[in-house]
Amino acid sequence: MLDFNDAPTEHRVDLAAQRDDLRAELLARLPSVLMALFPAGKVRGRTFVIGDIDGNPGDSLEIVLTGEKAGLWTDRATGEGGDVFELIARHHGLDTRTAFPAVMEAAAGLLGRALIHPALARHEAPLDELGPYTAKWDYLSANGELIACVYRYDPAPGRKEFRPWDVRARMCRAPDPRPLYNLPAVAQTDTVVLVEGEKCADALIRQGIVATTAMNGAKAPVDKTDWTPLAGKAVLIWPDRDAPGWDYAEAAARARGGVGMCRHRLPVGGHPRAADRQAGEMGCGRRIKRRLRCRCLHRRGRTAGDQGGNAGAADLQPRRPAR
């Protein structure tokens, strides 16, 4: 059961008034709506079938087209199911409980129309059950346009959660592709430090070092990240000294085989996740600048001269510390 009692006052009446109209139109045009949502699907009698919620070919997921159960769906492979709004939400990676306005926007888009409500502020934070955010990082394009924001929440001791906000889509999701952090500065330099997370990047930036990170840090999907701003640059990779950190560093190095990344790593002593702590230490900035100057620039020059500017993926991988 959907509950609009917690919705902001300016949206409550509008969304509730439009919900039933949207549902009726979705059901009236259900076959065409489903074909737009799942191009690989097909009508089979009184049902529409598709492989899964992502739209892969097959017939495991079945949606009723007519009668009292029109719009209800069941995935026989997973046992999941719901109504037409839940179907649209799951396909777009949304939650009907916390992001129903975005679900309605997606549903309206399938019908070729737009919802009528006051536009959300472009920088508005995603609202959910995690409480107020405790940190926020802006992701800008090279010319300074706001692309996305990442919000950190600390709902309980020892627990942290991150939520991306796609500014252009006005949705609680990561942009596609995901931008790198600190792009205006990255665009103006030829040497960059790639770290794990915005907190570590900011610690280096405060010391005058151009640093960046992929959105989501060690959990970043490298294949969905736009690495092209690093093309032709010398990149010093500094991961946390743990298995996820080194996996992230190696994946990032492989992701852009044509990017002149040096494979020199910075030693991180003490606690295995001490990169952001050491990044903020006095004198750390001078050490990194020396390494960038002596290692990365030399590496980049040798790569460009000896290999035509394209280092192989194996040559770019950081060296994992001995176990």
Side-chain angles (χ1 to χ4, degrees), residues 139-141 147-148 174-183 212-216 224-227 229:
Y139 278 71
L140 308 176
S141 67
I147 301 173
D176 185 18
R178 303 180 183 212
L180 293 174
Y181 186 58
N182 194 28
L183 283 180
T212 188
T213 182
M215 190 178 290
N216 284 89
K224 296 182 180 180
T225 300
D226 181 8
W227 300 98

Side-chain angles (χ1 to χ4, degrees), residues 9-81:
T9 303
E10 63 269 25
H11 295 293
R12 187 180 303 158
V13 175
D14 183 68
L15 292 179
Q18 294 183 78
R19 177 191 56 187
D20 292 340
D21 289 342
L22 268 180
R23 185 193 300 275
E25 189 170 353
L26 286 169
L27 297 183
R29 299 168 54 185
L30 195 53
S32 61
V33 166
L34 294 176
M35 285 304 302
L37 193 63
F38 302 117
K42 55 188 175 182
V43 175
R44 180 181 293 172
R46 300 176 63 182
T47 63
F48 183 94
V49 294
I50 188 66
D52 53 37
I53 199 69
D54 294 322
N56 293 308
D59 58 5
S60 176
L61 194 152
E62 185 175 271
I63 305 113
V64 179
L65 292 177
T66 61
E68 294 181 356
K69 295 185 178 181
L72 298 183
W73 61 278
T74 303
D75 189 334
R76 295 192 301 272
T78 64
E80 298 171 320

Side-chain angles (χ1 to χ4, degrees), residues 11 14-15 17-19 21-22 85 100-109 111-119 170:
H11 295 293
D14 183 68
L15 292 179
Q18 294 183 78
R19 177 191 56 187
D21 289 342
L22 268 180
F85 284 126
F100 194 67
V103 177
M104 292 181 64
E105 289 277 10
L111 298 170
R113 51 182 279 194
L115 293 181
I116 303 173
H117 60 67
R170 301 204 317 273

Side-chain angles (χ1 to χ4, degrees), residues 144-315:
E145 178 189 0
L146 184 62
I147 301 173
C149 305
V150 172
Y151 295 85
R152 171 174 170 161
Y153 299 84
D154 293 88
R159 179 189 167 201
K160 59 183 178 181
E161 299 281 347
F162 296 89
R163 295 289 186 271
W165 179 256
D166 187 333
V167 172
R168 293 169 179 168
R170 301 204 317 273
M171 289 186 179
C172 186
R173 70 180 189 189
D176 185 18
R178 303 180 183 212
L180 293 174
Y181 186 58
N182 194 28
L183 283 180
V186 170
Q188 300 298 317
T189 188
D190 58 0
T191 58
V192 182
V193 180
L194 176 65
V195 295
E196 183 183 330
E198 298 90 354
K199 183 179 177 182
C200 186
D202 283 346
L204 293 176
I205 292 168
R206 285 193 294 270
Q207 298 201 43
I209 296 168
V210 177
T212 188
T213 182
M215 190 178 290
N216 284 89
K219 298 180 180 179
V222 295
D223 58 327
K224 296 182 180 180
T225 300
D226 181 8
W227 300 98
T228 56
L230 299 182
K233 301 182 186 295
V235 180
L236 180 62
I237 304 173
W238 187 5
D240 284 348
R241 195 175 185 181
D242 56 12
W246 283 97
D247 289 342
Y248 160 72
E250 291 175 346
R254 290 193 301 268
R256 289 294 302 174
V259 175
M261 290 186 180
C262 69
R263 66 181 180 184
H264 185 70
R265 67 177 178 85
L266 287 174
V268 181
H271 192 277
R273 298 187 63 82
D276 58 343
R277 301 179 191 178
Q278 289 199 3
E281 291 178 356
M282 294 299 294
C284 178
R286 292 191 297 272
R287 294 198 301 272
I288 296 174
K289 288 176 181 177
R290 284 198 300 270
R291 291 178 187 274
L292 282 170
R293 184 168 56 252
C294 298
R295 300 280 186 167
C296 287
L297 291 178
H298 171 71
R299 180 68 180 168
R300 180 169 174 256
R302 184 164 64 84
T303 298
D306 298 346
Q307 302 180 27
N310 290 307
D315 193 42

